[in-house]
Amino acid sequence: MRILIIGAHPDDPDWYAGGTAAKFVQKGHKVRMLAMTNGNAGHYKEGGGPLAVRRYQETQCSARVIGAEYLVLDNDDGKLLPTLENREKVIRQIREFNADLVITHRPNDYHPDHRNTGLLVRDAAYMVTVPNIVPLVPHLRKNPVFAYLGDEFTKPNPIEPDVVVVIDDVLEKKLGMFHCHVSQMYEWLPYNMNILDQVPDGEAARKQWLAGLHAQMAGPLADKYRERIAELYGRERAQKVKYIEVFEISEYGTQPSPEDLRLWFPF
Ligand SMILES: [Zn+2]
């Protein structure tokens, strides 16, 4: 299978689906991560072109950790709009990769770039099959399955976790991906969270600190969906699960049955 994970920023695919991406690659599937913006606003004392280049390098480091591809579109960070031009860029990306499965943000999210990425992909979902739209890039004869990345927002509705992927066995890989995003994990995000003074010096100490931060932020998710994990994996296993990633299947695109879903997410 060919899996395209489209995030707004050069670290969103990693953050929301890095573990699942690692598992797909381990099973022999092809994973491409795509950032809709170049991340050139994601810092407190750097910005513009040099930051975009730095963040691009971070994506390539992250992709190497799991053996995936990572593409970054040169749109400005913080300014992504659901324009026709951007929709056509998304259509091209989905077609050229010949994606079977496309995963992206929901169109309700705290960050306008995430929201607009969700909107752009949703608006491309049917159009990828229409020959007269972007006619010079061959249209898809089979519509991909579209899925949404997990988020914690509840209005107008919380995410319905059709798919729960247990990532405990690939946690080190996911943290390895995070560790590549130095400008984000050790600089911008701690600054934005007012905890920059807690970031230690030195590679090993930083890695350990990052693992702690991840545990703090991602740990509660498994408790929140413990019942759903039990439905999918059985009660006994569910009790031991620490970290998960969740996905909701979009109503647009190919609609997999629950049995199909086990094939689409073969973990
Ligand atoms: Zn983001």
Side-chain angles (χ1 to χ4, degrees):
M1 279 197 305
R2 302 175 67 81
I3 298 109
L4 181 61
I5 306 170
I6 306 179
H9 305 112
D11 70 343
D12 285 324
D14 326 46
W15 186 267
Y16 297 101
T20 303
K23 294 182 88 133
F24 272 125
V25 173
Q26 277 177 353
K27 290 258 178 192
H29 302 291
K30 181 145 177 95
V31 174
R32 177 178 286 179
M33 296 177 279
L34 170 69
M36 285 298 298
T37 74
N38 61 19
N40 61 0
H43 209 277
Y44 61 101
K45 61 177 183 183
E46 295 178 16
L51 180 59
V53 171
R54 184 179 179 204
R55 295 196 63 182
Y56 178 76
Q57 287 160 351
E58 291 172 349
T59 64
Q60 299 312 293
C61 168
S62 176
R64 276 194 299 274
V65 170
I66 60 165
E69 291 178 346
Y70 215 129
L71 267 54
V72 178
L73 299 188
D74 226 346
N75 293 312
D76 279 336
D77 183 356
K79 301 179 185 177
L80 187 70
L81 291 175
T83 60
L84 190 52
E85 186 195 0
N86 282 332
R87 185 197 298 169
E88 293 188 343
K89 284 183 194 172
V90 172
I91 292 169
R92 278 191 200 94
Q93 289 290 332
I94 294 171
R95 285 181 180 171
E96 283 169 358
F97 184 61
N98 194 16
D100 297 302
L101 172 62
V102 179
I103 310 177
T104 192
H105 306 283
R106 288 200 301 165
N108 42 314
D109 194 289
Y110 80 105
H111 198 299
D113 290 345
H114 294 195
R115 212 154 52 223
N116 288 332
T117 296
L119 207 54
L120 285 162
V121 176
R122 198 173 71 176
D123 288 348
Y126 169 63
M127 290 301 175
V128 294
T129 68
V130 180
N132 280 328
I133 302 294
V134 195
L136 299 188
V137 182
H139 63 288
L140 299 184
R141 294 293 292 137
K142 190 174 183 310
N143 207 351
V145 169
F146 288 82
Y148 295 121
L149 298 162
D151 64 58
E152 58 204 68
F153 304 103
T154 59
K155 295 173 185 174
N157 59 297
I159 195 150
E160 291 173 20
D162 296 311
V163 177
V164 176
V165 179
V166 177
I167 59 159
D168 292 340
D169 54 327
V170 286
L171 183 66
E172 285 308 307
K173 292 222 162 182
K174 183 166 184 175
L175 293 175
M177 294 170 86
F178 282 12
H179 185 65
C180 288
H181 293 282
V182 173
S183 72
Q184 302 303 295
M185 300 302 163
Y186 303 122
E187 297 171 20
W188 166 238
L189 294 174
Y191 174 85
N192 197 230
M193 295 165 73
N194 288 309
I195 54 169
L196 190 58
D197 57 341
Q198 296 174 15
V199 180
D201 291 325
E203 191 93 344
R206 281 186 162 202
K207 266 191 171 166
Q208 200 183 359
W209 175 83
L210 185 58
L213 184 68
H214 172 265
Q216 213 179 0
M217 292 178 76
L221 197 65
D223 285 330
K224 183 175 173 183
Y225 293 116
R226 194 72 63 189
E227 276 305 306
R228 182 71 180 131
I229 303 172
E231 273 171 38
L232 293 167
Y233 293 91
R235 199 152 294 278
E236 198 179 332
R237 183 161 174 214
Q239 284 167 0
K240 298 186 192 117
V241 168
K242 283 200 180 119
Y243 299 106
I244 57 172
E245 290 168 350
V246 301
F247 305 94
E248 177 179 326
I249 302 301
S250 165
E251 290 178 293
Y252 311 115
T254 291
Q255 296 298 292
S257 68
E259 296 75 48
D260 291 341
L261 272 186
R262 290 183 190 274
L263 296 174
W264 283 95
F265 291 85
F267 315 120

